[in-house]
Amino acid sequence: MHIDFHDETKSVPHDYVDLLQRLLIFTAEKEAVSREAEVSVNFVSNKEIQEINRNYRQQNKVTDVISFAMQEKADDELDIVGEDLPLVLGDIVISVDKAKEQAEEYNHSLERELGFLTVHGFLHLLGYDHMKKEDEVEMFQRQEEILGEFGIER
């Protein structure tokens, strides 16, 4: 899987990026995602994620992670399939500021919080959501299974 990291905050240590890359590859294997898939992970500030949240989700507030799935199809869109086209899953945007706040609030490491947010965002790209209670239970259970098997515990 091709993963493109962008750290606009210039604050995420390289060893964390390496860990998150391995975690995404592990998650992709667990979810049977093609090795040809592409995803980007963007680390931003609270200010930047609030702007993104306001502009794309009409919610003028800071959030921890936003995913933009490229594989979702609107009702009036055509299905474009080609064997030579890469599977572009989409973008994950993570607020490093919010991740630091939540790591402190939940009394665990920043590494664990970034891992959680990365898996959470990635599962959204794969179609998981938490709009209904049963979907939330399924998604959060899957996140914890993946993080536990990978070795990132609370």
Side-chain angles (χ1 to χ4, degrees):
M1 185 164 74
H2 178 74
I3 307 162
D4 197 13
F5 287 93
H6 302 278
D7 184 4
E8 294 181 23
T9 69
K10 298 185 185 353
S11 67
V12 180
H14 291 291
D15 56 331
Y16 281 25
V17 172
D18 180 60
L19 173 86
L20 297 176
Q21 180 164 339
R22 289 184 284 115
L23 178 58
L24 281 169
I25 291 168
F26 179 82
T27 304
E29 289 171 356
K30 291 288 182 186
E31 291 292 314
V33 173
S34 166
R35 290 177 182 235
E36 303 304 313
E38 297 179 7
V39 65
S40 75
V41 180
N42 304 279
F43 300 110
V44 300
S45 66
N46 274 349
K47 181 179 183 281
E48 180 70 22
I49 206 160
Q50 181 174 357
E51 289 175 14
I52 293 167
N53 205 15
R54 181 185 65 234
N55 293 341
Y56 292 96
R57 299 180 64 233
Q58 289 70 53
Q59 295 187 22
N60 191 18
K61 63 181 183 178
V62 174
T63 190
D64 50 9
V65 61
I66 299 175
S67 297
F68 294 97
M70 297 296 288
Q71 296 303 308
E72 290 180 353
K73 188 178 72 150
D75 292 336
D76 59 344
E77 287 183 312
L78 295 175
D79 214 0
I80 300 174
V81 178
E83 289 182 28
D84 54 348
L85 295 176
L87 175 64
V88 180
L89 295 175
D91 302 319
I92 302 167
V93 182
I94 297 172
S95 168
V96 177
D97 297 332
K98 191 70 169 171
K100 289 176 181 175
E101 293 169 21
Q102 290 177 171
E104 190 171 312
E105 179 183 335
Y106 300 134
N107 199 28
H108 57 235
S109 68
L110 177 59
E111 175 183 274
R112 199 273 182 205
E113 187 64 21
L114 287 173
F116 173 85
L117 295 174
T118 300
V119 171
H120 185 88
F122 188 67
L123 290 179
H124 274 305
L125 296 182
L126 300 181
Y128 287 81
D129 74 33
H130 43 83
M131 299 302 281
K132 292 187 249 168
K133 186 64 179 169
E134 60 269 16
D135 294 335
E136 179 181 13
V137 169
E138 177 187 2
M139 182 174 185
F140 279 78
Q141 182 178 342
R142 188 64 181 138
Q143 288 168 180
E144 292 305 319
E145 287 170 6
I146 289 167
L147 290 167
E149 287 179 40
F150 187 77
I152 298 178
E153 300 288 338
R154 279 193 171 226

